[in-house]
Amino acid sequence: MILTAFVCCFFVVINAGERGVLMQFGQVQPQVLEEGIHPIIPIAQTVKKMSVRVQKQEITAEASSKDLQEVFTDVALNWHISPNHANTIYQQIGDKLAIIDRIIDPAVEEVLKAVMAKYTAEEIITKRGNVKDEVDTLLTNRLSGYNITVDDISLVHVHFSPKFRDAVEAKQIAEQEAKRADFIALKAIKEAEAKVNLARGEGESQRILRETLSPELLQKQAIDKWNGTLPLIVGESNTKLLDINRLIESNLPKGLP
């Protein structure tokens, strides 16, 4: 066991998804150790293992919109360090916690403030895709200078102050009421136009009927409608008389002279 432990001091194993930063007497060497087993000189050389896998970082940032509304954004960032520059990153920045604390968090906050300031609060909601793309582009360019790659960024939740939310809700209610009032007014106009057209049509129909009907035609229509029952009129002499004119008038269409 002692011999095995002694032999192991001369080798280091770099696991999958890692890179080894080789240091000799504390000085970072230009060589980056890839996955596998590597010989080292005990005491003189040490190895710091760095993960090159995709990391997820959730950040909540506050910014101001173009119309000076407070914007609170929950960001989910997927990132990883450049495998070939693991030694440079460790030398200039440090380990994962240092990368997040010194580089990623400040970069996300600054980029969000810069982008949100270009849009009004309403545009941040309606043009969310454009906002996300611009944040992605600026953040990618900013972190690439530190050999950090942005795999994906998501604006998980974008919300505003309670006062702004109340104002938006009141505006939506007012717009809905205005649309309802316009609909009611338009409906009343259409109904009034329909009544006018109906009355105009009836008047035109009566005019045409008056122009086309002659007394002879009216008498003929009255006779055609006669059911065969003779109206009787009792005169002073108690005689029953047939009044043809009254018969015709009683069968004339109503509303015609």
Side-chain angles (χ1 to χ4, degrees):
M1 292 178 63
I2 295 174
L3 180 61
T4 302
F6 178 75
V7 172
C8 290
C9 293
F10 290 86
F11 298 93
V12 64
V13 176
I14 306 301
N15 299 317
E18 293 181 337
R19 292 296 184 272
V21 179
L22 181 63
M23 292 174 286
Q24 186 167 325
F25 296 110
Q27 183 179 7
V28 175
Q29 302 300 302
Q31 179 186 3
V32 177
L33 303 181
E34 297 186 356
E35 300 171 1
I37 185 169
H38 301 272
I40 61 172
I41 302 173
I43 301 176
Q45 293 180 332
T46 56
V47 176
K48 173 63 178 179
K49 297 179 181 180
M50 299 280 289
S51 174
V52 294
R53 291 175 175 171
V54 176
Q55 310 288 329
K56 180 180 180 181
Q57 179 65 14
E58 296 181 352
I59 307 164
T60 299
E62 180 180 354
S64 296
S65 63
K66 187 177 181 180
D67 52 352
L68 302 180
Q69 297 294 333
E70 293 182 346
V71 186
F72 304 91
T73 309
D74 297 330
V75 180
L77 174 66
N78 291 335
W79 61 276
H80 70 273
I81 66 173
S82 175
N84 297 329
H85 297 87
N87 54 348
T88 303
I89 295 173
Y90 183 75
Q91 184 180 41
Q92 296 179 352
I93 304 173
D95 58 7
K96 174 184 175 181
L97 294 178
I99 294 172
I100 293 174
D101 185 56
R102 299 177 186 176
I103 304 300
I104 293 180
D105 285 353
V108 171
E109 291 179 2
E110 185 173 346
V111 167
L112 281 175
K113 288 180 180 179
V115 173
M116 295 301 180
K118 297 180 181 180
Y119 297 87
T120 64
E122 184 176 355
E123 289 174 339
I124 292 174
I125 298 174
T126 58
K127 300 180 180 180
R128 185 166 179 167
N130 295 341
V131 174
K132 187 262 184 185
D133 291 341
E134 192 166 349
V135 170
D136 194 349
T137 301
L138 291 178
L139 190 61
T140 298
N141 294 336
R142 183 179 178 88
L143 294 182
S144 64
Y146 297 97
N147 298 308
I148 300 173
T149 301
V150 174
D151 297 290
D152 185 40
I153 184 170
S154 300
L155 305 182
V156 179
H157 189 202
V158 179
H159 52 101
F160 303 88
S161 64
K163 291 183 179 180
F164 178 77
R165 292 198 299 268
D166 294 341
V168 171
E169 184 177 358
K171 180 181 178 181
Q172 292 176 343
I173 293 175
E175 290 177 351
Q176 292 175 356
E177 291 179 349
K179 290 180 180 179
R180 177 176 174 80
D182 292 341
F183 173 77
I184 293 175
L186 181 61
K187 182 179 179 182
I189 292 174
K190 293 298 183 181
E191 290 178 350
E193 290 178 351
K195 291 180 179 179
V196 170
N197 293 333
L198 180 60
R200 189 177 298 165
E202 291 179 351
E204 184 68 14
S205 176
Q206 293 290 339
R207 182 186 65 79
I208 294 174
L209 188 60
R210 286 194 299 270
E211 292 178 355
T212 56
L213 290 180
S214 61
E216 293 78 6
L217 179 60
L218 292 175
Q219 290 180 1
K220 182 179 181 304
Q221 290 180 351
I223 294 172
D224 292 339
K225 292 177 62 178
W226 181 35
N227 58 7
T229 303
L230 293 175
L232 298 178
I233 300 176
V234 179
E236 294 179 355
S237 59
N238 293 328
T239 60
K240 296 181 178 179
L241 302 177
L242 174 63
D243 190 345
I244 298 298
N245 289 332
R246 185 173 179 182
L247 172 63
I248 294 174
E249 290 176 359
S250 64
N251 288 275
L252 284 177
K254 294 183 179 180
L256 294 176

